[in-house]
């Protein structure tokens, strides 16, 4: 299947995206490709790593590249749900309540250090991320399309952090870690302290069109069966306390289509499943570690399954 035909009609747009984001986040093309896969799959992105390695830079570059409106919210312990969704305010002159939109009313929302706020405020994102709408005082209001949440979070052992609820983690298509740059890239960063300005290469409507095209990419039956074997193994293997849900299986299926599209292939291949399994599935499961439950040990458990489930030929 490695000789799959290439779908070249959208190559310029896809390459423009990769180039625009990659020019800002130096030396991290694999992370850039995973992030763009999430965008093309219509999903949300969670970036987890120590401060200062480029999480916010990546989020800002994505927002600039895909165009449209952009809002950044710095999550703190005193942030309230209405600070995200918006509130109804009484106008003194008219005596009427007028809705003031919150920062969620944007195409790209950067939720910076999302795990520094309380679970109550974190939960204000549920409806927005799942249904692309918010409900305030009983009235439902649609959000702009496309709608992308790029959240950053610090490791859980850092001071002043709260664990994200499992139900919210499940709304993120991928969780990525950037890691430290290599020595050569870090030297270049030190010598050129001015941050590159990301280019805007398309409009929100064009992004929506690309998302629609990506989800038309074919997934052959043998690839689909391999995906299902992996997902169902997480529900029966002793290394897992809780396996992948059907929503998680759907997320991996969408991501596989998007990755094939990003690489300009006409259909998905088993390597797409293997390359995406950890970033798409690891944060959705609960693994056992040395006989105890480990909420952050899913990546190792998923890699173990991949070693035991060879891809179809």
């Amino acid at each position: 299947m490695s000789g799959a035909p290439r779908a070249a009609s959208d190559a310029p747009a896809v390459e423009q995206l990769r180039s625009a984001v990659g020019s800002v986040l130096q030396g991290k093309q694999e992370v850039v490709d995973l992030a763009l896969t999430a965008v093309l799959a219509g999903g949300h992105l969670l970036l987890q790593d120590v401060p200062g390695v480029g999480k916010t830079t990546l989020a800002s570059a994505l927002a600039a590249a895909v165009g449209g409106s952009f809002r950044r919210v710095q999550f703190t312990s005193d942030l309230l749900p209405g600070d995200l969704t918006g509130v109804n305010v009484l106008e003194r002159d008219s005596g009427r309540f007028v809705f003031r939109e919150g920062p969620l009313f944007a195409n790209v929302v950067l939720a910076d250090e999302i795990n520094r706020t309380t679970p109550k405020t974190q939960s204000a994102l549920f409806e927005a991320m799942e249904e692309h709408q918010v409900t305030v005082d009983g009235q439902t209001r649609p959000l702009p399309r496309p709608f992308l949440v790029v959240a950053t979070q610090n490791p859980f052992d850092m001071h002043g952090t709260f664990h994200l609820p499992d139900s919210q983690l499940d709304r993120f298509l991928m969780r990525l870690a950037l890691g430290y740059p290599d020595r050569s890239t870090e030297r270049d960063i030190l010598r050129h302290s001015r941050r590159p300005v990301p280019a805007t290469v398309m409009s929100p409507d064009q992004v929506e069109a690309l998302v629609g095209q990506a989800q038309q990419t074919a997934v052959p039956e043998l690839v689909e069966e391999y995906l299902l074997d992996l997902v169902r193994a997480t529900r029966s293997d002793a290394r897992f306390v809780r396996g992948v849900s059907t929503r998680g299986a759907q997320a991996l299926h969408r991501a596989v289509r998007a990755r094939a599209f990003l690489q300009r292939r006409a259909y998905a291949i088993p390597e797409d499943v293997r390359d995406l399994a950890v970033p798409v599935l690891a944060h959705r499961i609960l693994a056992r570690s040395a006989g105890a439950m480990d909420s952050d040990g899913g990546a190792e458990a998923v890699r173990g399954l991949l070693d035991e489930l060879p891809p179809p030929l």
Side-chain angles (χ1 to χ4, degrees):
M1 299 185 66
S2 59
R6 298 272 176 172
S9 58
D10 296 290
V14 169
E15 288 305 314
Q16 281 181 329
L17 272 177
R18 295 182 77 241
S19 177
V21 180
S23 67
V24 175
L25 196 72
Q26 302 174 42
K28 296 290 182 181
Q29 192 59 53
E30 181 180 357
V31 173
V32 168
D33 285 349
L34 287 170
L36 291 177
T37 296
V39 172
L40 293 173
H44 307 290
L45 188 61
L46 179 62
L47 306 176
Q48 178 176 320
D49 218 318
V50 297
V53 295
K55 301 189 301 295
T56 304
T57 299
L58 173 58
S60 301
L62 284 172
V66 304
S69 53
F70 171 63
R71 296 284 190 92
R72 173 178 176 174
V73 184
Q74 182 64 50
F75 279 61
T76 58
S77 59
D78 59 350
L79 197 72
L80 298 175
D83 295 329
L84 299 177
T85 61
V87 295
N88 286 306
V89 178
L90 179 64
E91 281 192 338
R92 182 178 300 177
D93 294 339
S94 65
R96 296 183 299 116
F97 282 96
V98 176
F99 182 68
R100 304 294 189 196
E101 294 182 348
L104 290 183
F105 286 83
N107 295 113
V108 180
V109 177
L110 170 56
D112 213 1
E113 297 186 305
I114 188 174
N115 60 334
R116 288 200 179 278
T117 196
T118 61
K120 178 179 180 180
T121 301
Q122 292 169 2
S123 66
L125 288 170
F126 281 11
E127 182 182 17
M129 294 174 68
E130 184 69 18
E131 302 176 38
H132 293 187
Q133 64 183 33
V134 297
T135 301
V136 179
D137 294 339
Q139 184 172 356
T140 299
R141 302 174 186 273
L143 296 172
R145 303 291 297 227
F147 176 69
L148 170 66
V149 173
V150 181
T152 70
Q153 70 170 358
N154 295 328
F156 298 125
D157 58 355
M158 299 197 70
H159 180 69
T161 60
F162 299 83
H163 281 269
L164 295 182
D166 290 342
S167 53
Q168 183 169 3
L169 281 173
D170 205 31
R171 265 68 177 182
F172 285 102
L173 183 80
M174 289 188 197
R175 182 180 66 181
L176 303 179
L178 275 66
Y180 294 109
D182 60 48
R183 186 182 184 90
S184 175
T185 299
E186 196 159 26
R187 181 187 295 112
D188 290 340
I189 293 173
L190 294 177
R191 291 176 176 177
H192 305 88
S193 57
R194 180 178 296 179
R195 179 181 298 179
V197 178
T200 298
V201 297
M202 60 182 55
S203 68
D205 287 343
Q206 290 173 307
V207 175
E208 279 287 274
L210 281 181
V211 172
Q213 292 172 42
Q215 292 312 299
Q216 298 302 313
T217 304
V219 181
E221 185 175 355
L222 66 86
V223 176
E224 209 164 59
E225 290 298 321
Y226 180 52
L227 185 154
L228 287 171
D229 287 343
L230 177 63
V231 166
R232 297 184 72 83
T234 66
R235 303 170 186 171
S236 57
D237 193 282
R239 286 168 290 194
F240 299 86
V241 178
R242 182 182 64 242
V244 177
S245 67
T246 301
R247 182 189 287 124
Q250 291 174 319
L252 183 55
H253 197 261
R254 296 202 324 270
V256 162
R257 291 182 189 271
R259 184 178 188 272
F261 182 81
L262 182 66
Q263 297 192 353
R264 289 175 287 156
R265 280 188 271 103
Y267 53 82
I269 58 177
E271 284 74 12
D272 294 326
V273 177
R274 294 184 66 84
D275 291 345
L276 292 171
V278 171
V280 175
L281 301 182
H283 63 287
R284 304 172 188 272
I285 60 179
L286 186 61
R288 286 189 175 91
S289 178
M293 291 187 296
D294 184 357
S295 61
D296 205 32
E300 183 178 351
V302 172
R303 291 190 190 100
L305 277 185
L306 290 172
D307 290 341
E308 298 165 11
L309 287 174
L313 301 177

